[in-house]
Amino acid sequence: MNIINGKEIADKLKAEIASEVQALRSDKGRAPHLAAILVGNDPASETYVKSKEKSCHEVGMSSSVYRLPETTSEAELLEAIDFINKDDEIDGLIVQLPVPKHIDVNKVISAIAPEKDVDGFHPMNVGRMVLGWPTYLPATPMGILLLLQRSGIETEGKRCVVVGRSNIVGTPVSIMLSRNQAGANCTVTLCHTRTKNLDAVCRTADILIVATGKCEAITAEYVKEGAVVIDVGIHRVPDSSKKSGFALKGDVKYDEVASRCSHITPVPGGVGPMTIIGLLKNTLSAFKGEIYPHE
Ligand code: GUN
């Protein structure tokens, strides 16, 4: 059994991005710039945004965070997005999700200029992804594909089962892995809360990708001997043996699943560190005008 070291792979990719940023900086007279909007005080979102900011600086990119109060109206948020859309010195813009309930998330996502949508959530970029056109691929699915690639895992013709159909992970990764291209070309089944005999379906998987959002839901009986298991979940569970008072667990019951696998991602240190890589790659791509060429 091989443990896929996401931290190590992410660090290597960060170094590659950093050297490209350094080379490009002098060309344009400035570094790539990622802006993030954070509405409200959700602690998890605050952590994610801080970590995105830190990673930008690690690779030599600039970043700015616009912190808006929980009471921000939809119109005010749309105005902030419009303001950043028009700023030529900002290459990428993300709005950290979730936004407060009184704001229509679809309006927010559609308001981001497609050429700055480095999350790849805008319908135009999702459409391009489905068609296999050049686009900003969403960060976590891109991170998963890179993990498979960098771990030397063959995907072509393999049976892949994705558990969870969210717009951010499950749905896009199922589409990306089924494309006719290198690092994809799988036969993909997308499972969700209405799937019957989930365990039996999961046991058909050569590559099992779990993004259910349910702590340790996938146990040994869901996993075929020799499968590759990618665990997207991350949960804090109380643990008095830890100094912090909690332990981090995934959507997969690691202790009983690991011994059955050919490869498995740990939590923490598997998919988590890779999610930022996609975002950095997309920001670099926006800076270079690779998807939507600059005039
Ligand atoms: N919330 C959870 N994941 C993401 C993500 O990838 N991007 C944004 N903007 N918000 C998120």
Side-chain angles (χ1 to χ4, degrees):
M1 186 266 297
N2 298 287
I3 299 172
I4 299 177
N5 189 335
K7 171 83 171 65
E8 197 176 289
I9 296 171
D11 285 345
K12 270 198 199 125
L13 286 160
K14 264 191 199 166
E16 290 173 22
I17 295 167
S19 65
E20 200 177 344
V21 169
Q22 199 181 18
L24 285 166
R25 255 178 108 132
S26 47
D27 239 31
K28 265 216 175 185
R30 68 171 180 84
H33 188 133
L34 173 69
I37 301 181
L38 175 59
V39 188
N41 311 305
D42 177 57
S45 292
E46 180 64 47
T47 307
Y48 289 137
V49 166
K50 278 206 181 112
S51 133
K52 288 170 186 176
E53 222 184 345
K54 181 168 163 260
S55 300
C56 278
H57 299 156
E58 279 168 4
V59 299
M61 293 187 185
S62 342
S63 71
S64 40
V65 179
Y66 296 76
R67 287 186 167 75
L68 305 178
E70 180 81 23
T71 51
T72 303
S73 69
E74 186 178 282
E76 284 166 335
L77 177 56
L78 296 178
E79 209 174 299
I81 292 170
D82 189 48
F83 179 79
I84 298 170
N85 280 343
K86 289 177 178 145
D87 186 334
D88 290 340
E89 305 257 296
I90 295 179
D91 305 287
L93 166 61
I94 62 165
V95 176
Q96 187 63 34
L97 304 180
V99 288
K101 287 196 179 61
H102 63 274
I103 295 174
D104 180 346
V105 68
N106 292 346
K107 279 194 194 160
V108 170
I109 290 170
S110 319
I112 298 172
E115 63 273 19
K116 294 197 180 187
D117 169 42
V118 288
D119 260 331
F121 292 168
H122 189 287
M124 167 103 91
N125 289 322
V126 177
R128 293 174 69 106
M129 182 263 294
V130 173
L131 295 169
W133 293 13
T135 191
Y136 300 118
L137 295 171
T140 304
M142 197 206 292
I144 294 169
L145 264 70
L146 286 166
L147 269 186
L148 295 172
Q149 230 175 62
R150 295 273 170 148
S151 307
I153 292 162
E154 180 59 67
T155 52
E156 183 134 346
K158 299 291 179 194
R159 279 196 176 272
C160 175
V161 173
V162 178
V163 192
R165 58 178 155 186
S166 73
N167 289 345
I168 292 180
V169 184
T171 296
V173 83
S174 72
I175 295 165
M176 285 158 63
L177 278 167
S178 64
R179 299 295 315 164
N180 181 5
Q181 61 194 34
N185 256 325
C186 295
T187 303
V188 181
T189 303
L190 180 58
C191 299
H192 47 73
T193 46
R194 295 293 176 272
T195 299
K196 299 215 165 73
N197 305 317
L198 180 63
D199 55 342
V201 180
C202 287
R203 278 196 304 273
T204 67
D206 301 311
I207 301 172
L208 179 62
I209 299 180
V210 187
T212 59
K214 291 192 195 100
C215 187
E216 297 189 317
I218 299 298
T219 51
E221 64 268 22
Y222 288 70
V223 179
K224 179 171 79 174
E225 196 75 40
V228 173
V229 174
I230 306 290
D231 186 352
V232 182
I234 185 149
H235 310 269
R236 270 184 181 202
V237 297
D239 184 339
S240 56
S241 74
K242 305 266 182 203
K243 216 168 109 189
S244 60
F246 64 85
L248 292 171
K249 301 278 180 192
D251 289 353
V252 173
K253 200 156 192 175
Y254 185 90
D255 292 342
E256 61 175 68
V257 169
S259 58
R260 303 178 73 87
C261 304
S262 73
H263 295 77
I264 187 166
T265 58
V267 176
V271 173
M274 291 298 291
T275 59
I276 190 72
I277 300 298
L279 189 60
L280 296 173
K281 276 184 167 284
N282 285 340
T283 305
L284 190 54
S285 188
F287 181 71
K288 295 197 285 186
E290 277 180 339
I291 314 291
Y292 299 95
H294 302 313
E295 282 132 33

